[in-house]
Amino acid sequence: MCQEKVDLFSAISLSANTVARRVENIERNIKSQLKDKAGKFVCFSVALDESVDVSDTSQLLLFIRGINANFEITEEPASVHSMHGTTKGIDIFREVAEYVWNQKGLSWPN
């Protein structure tokens, strides 16, 4: 690495609190961008993947794909939910509905 780059990187604060704060800022920014895009969707779909981690906890991954009025397609991993207890169809549906309706403000027609 070039010496001037080493000096530049050494001036950046990388304390645990600073890194955590920056990661949280990035998370909020990404969520905000996705919510803005999702609010303009004409149509959307949600894909799911469920697996079990090493601690025997079910993890539900949600992916969202949508299209706006200009036919621009957005496809993003949307969230990961730890599911404790049962993972029946109704449990998974509730997690998805919570995400779609409350967190992203999307609506499903009847």
Side-chain angles (χ1 to χ4, degrees), residues 15 31 33 43 52 55 65 68 76 79-80 84-86 95 105:
S15 71
K31 282 183 176 181
Q33 287 182 41
C43 296
V52 178
S55 65
R65 178 186 299 143
N68 66 17
E76 296 288 335
S79 67
V80 178
H84 303 281
T86 63
E95 289 290 327

Side-chain angles (χ1 to χ4, degrees), residues 84-100:
H84 303 281
T86 63
T87 55
K88 297 177 185 174
I90 191 67
D91 302 318
I92 292 172
F93 176 78
R94 285 182 183 138
E95 289 290 327
V96 173
E98 165 68 22
Y99 172 79
V100 170

Side-chain angles (χ1 to χ4, degrees), residues 6-47:
V6 171
D7 295 338
L8 185 64
F9 280 113
S10 65
I12 297 173
S13 173
L14 292 177
S15 71
N17 289 338
T18 300
V19 171
R21 188 175 61 251
R22 289 181 180 167
V23 168
E24 289 169 355
N25 289 342
I26 291 169
E27 175 197 18
R28 278 192 299 276
N29 182 274
I30 290 171
K31 282 183 176 181
S32 173
Q33 287 182 41
L34 185 55
K35 188 170 185 173
D36 290 345
K37 286 183 180 183
K40 297 175 185 167
F41 287 164
V42 175
C43 296
F44 72 94
S45 65
V46 177

